[in-house]
Amino acid sequence: MSKPTIQDVAQKAGVGVGTVSRVLNNHPSVRDSTRAKILKAMESLNYTPNPHARRIAGGRSYTVSVMLPMVAAEFYIRLLTSIEETLGEQRYDAAIFPMLGRERLERYLESHTMPYQADGIIQITYNLAVLFPDGRMPTEQPVVLVDGKTDLYDCTYVDNYHGGLVAAEYTCQAPGEIYLVSFDDENDPDAIFKSLVFADRIHGFQEGVSRAGRSIKDTYFCGLQYHEGLAITKQIYDHAQFPITIFAGADILGRPMIDEAKSRGLILGQDVRIIGFDNQPWAAEIGLTTLHQPVEEMGAKAAHLLLERLSGFEGPPRQFCYQPFLIERASSLKSIPVI
Amino acid sequence: MSKPTIQDVAQKAGVGVGTVSRVLNNHPSVRDSTRAKILKAMESLNYTPNPHARRIAGGRSYTVSVMLPMVAAEFYIRLLTSIEETLGEQRYDAAIFPMLGRERLERYLESHTMPYQADGIIQITYNLAVLFPDGRMPTEQPVVLVDGKTDLYDCTYVDNYHGGLVAAEYTCQAPGEIYLVSFDDENDPDAIFKSLVFADRIHGFQEGVSRAGRSIKDTYFCGLQYHEGLAITKQIYDHAQFPITIFAGADILGRPMIDEAKSRGLILGQDVRIIGFDNQPWAAEIGLTTLHQPVEEMGAKAAHLLLERLSGFEGPPRQFCYQPFLIERASSLKSIPVI
DNA sequence: CTGTTAGCGCCTTCAT
DNA sequence: ATGAAGGCGCTAACAG
């Protein structure tokens, strides 16, 4: 009554274990008819290969570790989903390691822990390699970084600087005060996680505003939570001289700006223009103008890069940069009423 | 240059592999001196056992699957952390499976997927077993449920009904309208995840209010997000006849009630009394009266229960119930100013 | 193309 | 108490 093994399948299909193994690893040299026969046997036995045995025998377990800051932020869910789908195409599974904080990260870092037991590692947003003395992960496994740039490993990322620039150009099409609200971990000495994602957006925006000969009235930083964005929004609305334009470094911070504007009877696109970043699935619903980033493409590409490494590719690190683009919606459009 | 094996250790220590294996599984019958010798060899070789090999040979991988709705909600982070710590005491690791939604859950459910490759399963909040025709997980592994009650498996949970009751009693100590705002998945036919956590809180509260001969003016349901709580809060404050008391089924919903009250100049503990549920780490900061639940204890207990099963315990399912208790803070106290 | 066989790293008897 | 040997489920040659 225990799980069926490759032996059972071989017997049931009337072939040798070697052949079964071949179809498992879809080796080309197997006659279609026998392949079918074996597949049928696996089906009827409800057989699935034991990844531990595969790992120990063949040196690979068909799992890859995905290390990310957290799960539940929509951005990461989307990324994760696209990565898993792509890995699935080659029958790979993802083992998820949410770091969440310094303590957990440190546990995961030690070279004998779970993340290193997989065939490869995908890191999201944070390039953990920089935490090591030599700037490399303490492993021979292929590593790829998503949503971050590095010269040492394959990576896929968004040109956040450019996104900030575009936001600035659009901002400067209208008169009035300009505000910037964003998350920033760049200057937090205690932040073990660091990325340039937000810093780049900010710098791009600053550069763009200054190129247009304008200037930013005020800049605020806060965490990526609705209530934090709301608190800052109130400050801004309390003292601003309308019209104003606010660039929120993330959609989640743009959301309270819309809500609070409505609460106060401010007219969106006229008194207040709001620009987000991310184009979250709900951004359309609330009419938030924002910079779209191709999250799914980025994740899928990263997974592909890793799969290539896992099938033996040995070239130098490859970098893929995606350009975000502006999607104009009611939060910044005159005369189109917000639903 | 590859990783050292048990062979290397045995050789270096001048013993047989069997003995090394014994110290690995701390078997009693090993002389202290040889044990020390072997430990030293392992140390100098920087040896760590290959979990896949252990799994395949010994039938256990020293990992347990933790299946939870999501990560990033503080409740789950705390639970997860306590579980991992406890498992770690016995050298077990946790593999994390955030379900996040129907699609991912369904993938995980199939009996050949990753969650079933571990030695045991801890399920949080949602008793996935009910999704199967026979009401049991399709596996022989021990299962324990945290934050939910079941008769089939070991479980640890909070008496949410009692919590609701206590909240109601406290609520009814003051006059005025009574409101209830909570999350509820009970009546959502599409919700694949279901739990009685919130339903119990609600029922307990309703019962308590009615016992006191009072009645609930209005009940609202929404998702567990700040902005949703805020929207409802505004509705309530717009139409309420103060003083009022609001019971929020979760701290995260109580938070906007405090913020909005301040915004409107309502006096907490006088015009508006707010009671949350959870006692999140930040509840003290914002002065939120709430029902404390012993999250860490619950997680640690669950992990222990599983570890016992993993070491061979075979008794009938055990249930551990924790009683939440009220912590009174500024959001419901007269004359103590909220900071 | 396919059956056979030797390991992969470790645990578990069975002797000693 | 400890060494030797068989086997866990699978992959990877090696013969046919």
Side-chain angles (χ1 to χ4, degrees), chain A residues 48 71-72 84 104 226 234 263, chain B residues 71-72 84 104 226 234 263:
Chain A
T48 41
V71 182
E84 284 184 320
R104 300 174 62 81
Y226 184 98
K234 288 182 177 177
S263 257
Chain B
V71 182
E84 284 185 320
R104 300 176 63 82
Y226 184 97
K234 287 182 177 179
S263 256

Side-chain angles (χ1 to χ4, degrees), chain A residues 2 28 31 55-56 65 68 75 123 177 186 240 251 337:
Chain A
S2 65
R31 198 181 305 160
R55 172 72 172 178
I56 210 185
S65 299
L68 30 54
F75 176 78
Q123 291 178 184
E177 297 178 347
E186 196 188 18
D251 284 354

Side-chain angles (χ1 to χ4, degrees), chain A residues 31-288:
Chain A
R31 198 181 305 160
D32 277 359
S33 60
T34 59
R35 179 188 302 278
K37 206 165 49 180
I38 292 171
L39 253 21
K40 195 163 59 76
M42 299 201 305
E43 177 80 15
S44 77
L45 258 41
N46 205 311
Y47 167 82
T48 41
N50 180 326
H52 302 100
R54 302 184 88 172
R55 172 72 172 178
I56 210 185
R60 61 176 52 193
S61 55
Y62 291 88
T63 58
V64 340
S65 299
V66 179
M67 307 180 74
L68 30 54
M70 62 182 145
V71 182
E74 294 190 65
F75 176 78
Y76 291 111
I77 294 182
R78 292 170 61 194
L79 216 40
L80 195 52
T81 303
S82 67
I83 288 172
E84 284 184 320
E85 268 175 19
T86 306
L87 292 177
E89 292 169 10
Q90 313 255 24
R91 298 159 157 270
Y92 272 80
D93 271 309
I96 299 167
F97 296 91
M99 298 176 293
L100 302 171
R102 172 182 292 271
E103 207 178 303
R104 300 174 62 81
L105 168 63
E106 285 178 348
R107 276 195 38 208
Y108 287 150
L109 247 33
E110 296 170 59
S111 66
H112 58 82
T113 47
M114 302 289 296
Y116 301 96
Q117 304 295 350
D119 300 340
I121 297 181
I122 292 181
Q123 291 178 184
I124 304 186
T125 303
Y126 297 109
N127 178 191
L128 270 25
V130 304
L131 298 174
F132 292 90
D134 59 349
R136 313 191 118 267
M137 298 297 288
T139 170
E140 299 296 303
Q141 305 161 91
V143 173
V144 0
L145 179 64
V146 190
D147 190 39
K149 194 182 172 195
T150 171
D151 293 327
L152 284 176
Y153 300 112
D154 290 339
C155 65
T156 66
Y157 62 99
V158 162
D159 188 343
N160 285 293
Y161 183 87
H162 178 254
L165 218 49
V166 170
E169 282 166 13
Y170 182 72
T171 294
C172 294
Q173 287 174 11
E177 297 178 347
I178 297 173
Y179 293 88
L180 168 58
V181 178
S182 182
F183 171 73
D184 187 23
D185 55 5
E186 196 188 18
N187 298 311
D188 179 355
D190 189 51
I192 192 164
F193 299 131
K194 295 213 183 199
S195 93
L196 293 173
V197 169
F198 291 93
D200 285 349
R201 291 178 190 175
I202 294 165
H203 294 151
F205 187 76
Q206 290 168 332
E207 170 66 18
V209 169
S210 112
R211 276 191 204 165
R214 305 275 293 277
S215 68
I216 298 172
K217 170 84 190 220
D218 258 319
T219 300
Y220 298 85
F221 294 108
C222 69
L224 289 174
Q225 302 214 49
Y226 184 98
H227 77 264
E228 300 184 67
L230 178 58
I232 288 176
T233 299
K234 288 182 177 177
Q235 280 185 51
I236 294 177
Y237 289 175
D238 279 348
H239 304 296
Q241 186 145 351
F242 301 98
I244 66 175
T245 298
I246 314 180
F247 172 49
D251 284 354
I252 186 72
L253 298 179
R255 184 163 204 163
M257 295 173 191
I258 291 182
D259 291 348
E260 182 69 11
K262 290 183 190 172
S263 257
R264 298 190 182 210
L266 294 169
I267 299 177
L268 286 171
Q270 193 160 316
D271 301 324
V272 183
R273 298 200 313 152
I274 295 161
I275 304 164
F277 206 119
D278 282 339
N279 194 29
Q280 298 283 17
W282 43 263
E285 251 177 68
I286 65 172
L288 176 59

Side-chain angles (χ1 to χ4, degrees), chain B residues 187-198:
Chain B
N187 297 311
D188 179 355
D190 189 53
I192 192 163
F193 300 131
K194 296 212 182 199
S195 93
L196 293 174
V197 169
F198 290 93

